[in-house]
Amino acid sequence: MMGDAAEVANRGHGQGSDEDRDRRRDQEAVSRFVERFAGELTDAGMQRMASRVFAALLASDSGAMTSAELAEQLRISPAAISGAVRYLTHVNMIGREREPGSRRDRYRLYSDVWYETLTRRDQLLTRWEGILREGAATLGPGTPAGARVAETAEFMEFLQKEFHQILTRWREHKATPREGGPAGE
């Protein structure tokens, strides 16, 4: 009878499962990447724990993990995971799904998470622009405050147009076959 280690080694010659690939990876290097990217997200304004959870999900092959798996990988308490996934779910960066036949929730990155996040930011810019235009009218176009708010509204309008063009180009880029993998990967 073959031992567990030998079975894993034999399965490792093909593509293997996520678990097999994870065993072959340098987990400390993966942890360093997760923490480094999470630090960048935190510096950009995301909550610290949410940054760590998001980076861990991004670095997982399946893009989905349970609270227990996240807590183990990040070496933090399940309570810390709870607040982070609540925030990430609220801002639509991850979704919650139930494991079949279990009471455990899995947290999954949405497909095209960056595209979707920027699309939602575009909607936010639209709302801000409308409020800023109202504010500029209220403050008066001839006042320094009114002019400043009107320029801010104009900037929001400019960003929306640029985002729309960038997202259109991204969809075209993603649909184009590339070396090293089929389109859409």
Side-chain angles (χ1 to χ4, degrees):
M1 186 166 155
M2 193 181 291
D4 288 343
E7 286 179 24
V8 168
N10 285 339
R11 285 192 314 244
H13 292 297
Q15 189 162 350
S17 69
D18 289 348
E19 189 175 314
D20 294 340
R21 267 191 304 280
D22 286 345
R23 286 183 187 144
R24 290 190 304 266
R25 284 190 178 131
D26 178 347
Q27 289 305 308
E28 285 304 311
V30 171
S31 291
R32 284 190 302 274
F33 161 75
V34 166
E35 295 302 328
R36 185 173 174 212
F37 188 59
E40 291 296 324
L41 292 172
T42 301
D43 288 348
M46 188 184 283
Q47 297 174 356
R48 183 172 181 272
M49 274 307 144
S51 296
R52 293 181 73 206
V53 167
F54 181 79
L57 288 169
L58 190 64
S60 71
D61 282 331
S62 66
M65 299 172 86
T66 64
S67 288
E69 291 167 336
L70 286 162
E72 181 182 341
Q73 179 175 339
L74 297 172
R75 300 177 193 124
I76 57 177
S77 73
I81 299 294
S82 178
V85 297
R86 188 172 31 257
Y87 169 81
L88 291 168
T89 303
H90 177 73
V91 297
N92 297 312
M93 292 183 78
I94 66 170
R96 180 187 318 235
E97 58 189 33
R98 185 71 64 168
E99 285 188 338
S102 171
R103 293 184 181 175
R104 296 173 116 186
D105 285 329
R106 290 185 70 75
Y107 301 99
R108 175 173 302 284
L109 291 176
Y110 286 121
S111 298
D112 272 341
V113 68
W114 296 114
Y115 175 84
E116 294 299 325
T117 299
L118 286 175
T119 299
R120 282 186 295 282
R121 297 287 177 195
D122 184 48
Q123 294 165 0
L124 180 65
L125 293 175
T126 300
R127 289 196 321 261
W128 287 358
E129 179 194 352
I131 292 167
L132 288 164
R133 292 211 184 278
E134 288 175 21
T138 299
L139 295 167
T143 66
R148 188 171 44 252
V149 171
E151 182 179 338
T152 304
E154 187 178 338
F155 178 69
M156 294 300 158
E157 180 183 23
F158 174 81
L159 282 179
Q160 287 177 72
K161 288 177 184 173
E162 293 298 311
F163 269 145
H164 179 71
Q165 291 173 5
I166 288 168
L167 294 175
T168 299
R169 287 194 310 266
W170 169 249
R171 283 191 304 268
E172 291 167 358
H173 171 80
K174 192 172 178 192
T176 304
R178 293 181 297 286
E179 187 176 319
E185 279 193 358

